[in-house]
């Protein structure tokens, strides 16, 4: 992540938790949004990508919410009551959700936020790499389709088709994908 500001959504009905988190996660490092309603939180998650989402257990409703949004790129921290911590933790870990005991001490909470930031950084790097790989695969697919059309319609070998696309790209100052798209439009 290149930003030094982390967007955090806090979803809790407990004003004590809300005020404690607000006192610890202060601007400019943290941009804090708060919700006391899980439907409103779902709407906010649909509108904006948060780096970290802190969810209160709330009699199990928080666990369901955390699992529902676990496919987002956000790092999710679920506050679980100490007496149910192991059971809840085992349930949500397969979804990549981190659990904290509630109530929590400030030092423990601060360290978990640091872990969440580190996890968020890794998620962003991996997401970026996955996007680059998808783009590269699409480029290869497009160029291969153009080569196939040249081989079928112009009786070229694969090497000749490949060389033709590369030469056209160099001669026109275009990318191979742009040349491939023109070939596909022309020969399809």
């Amino acid at each position: 992540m290149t930003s030094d500001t982390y967007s955090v959504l806090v979803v809790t009905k407990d004003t004590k938790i809300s005020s404690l988190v607000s006192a610890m996660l202060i601007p400019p490092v943290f941009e804090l949004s708060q919700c006391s309603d899980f439907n409103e939180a779902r709407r906010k998650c649909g509108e904006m990508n948060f780096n970290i989402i802190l969810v209160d257990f709330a009699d199990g409703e928080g666990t369901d919410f955390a699992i529902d949004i676990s496919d987002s790129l956000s790092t999710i921290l679920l506050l679980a009551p100490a007496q149910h911590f192991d059971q809840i933790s085992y349930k949500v870990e397969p979804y990549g959700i981190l659990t904290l005991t509630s109530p929590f001490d400030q030092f423990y909470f601060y360290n978990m936020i640091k872990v969440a930031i580190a996890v968020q950084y890794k998620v962003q790097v991996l997401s970026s790499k996955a996007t680059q790989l998808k783009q590269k695969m699409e480029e290869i697919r497009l160029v291969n389709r153009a080569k196939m059309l040249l081989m079928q319609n112009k009786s070229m070998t694969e090497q000749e088709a490949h060389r033709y696309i590369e030469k056209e790209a160099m001669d026109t100052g275009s990318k191979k994908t742009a040349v491939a798209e023109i070939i596909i439009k022309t020969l399809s």
Side-chain angles (χ1 to χ4, degrees), residues 5-101:
T5 301
Y6 302 96
S7 58
V8 180
L9 175 63
V10 179
V11 186
T12 184
K13 296 175 184 178
D14 188 335
T15 55
K16 184 178 176 185
I17 291 173
S18 182
S19 59
L20 185 59
V21 170
S22 295
M24 293 183 70
L25 304 181
I26 55 174
V29 177
F30 298 99
E31 183 182 304
L32 202 61
S33 297
Q34 297 187 26
C35 292
S36 59
D37 178 67
F38 288 101
N39 290 326
E40 179 187 354
R42 278 184 182 83
R43 183 186 57 75
K44 280 190 175 188
C45 289
E47 293 172 355
M48 180 180 168
N49 292 322
F50 293 94
N51 297 118
I52 301 169
I53 301 175
L54 181 67
V55 182
D56 190 14
F57 176 70
D59 296 325
E61 193 176 358
T63 303
D64 295 337
F65 170 74
I67 291 171
D68 287 348
I69 62 165
S70 66
D71 62 347
S72 71
L73 295 178
S74 304
T75 301
I76 303 168
L77 298 170
L78 178 62
L79 295 170
Q83 66 269 27
H84 301 297
F85 180 82
D86 287 337
Q87 178 185 8
I88 294 167
S89 182
Y90 289 131
K91 180 178 180 181
V92 299
E93 282 174 356
Y95 297 96
I97 299 169
L98 303 171
T99 49
L100 296 123
T101 55

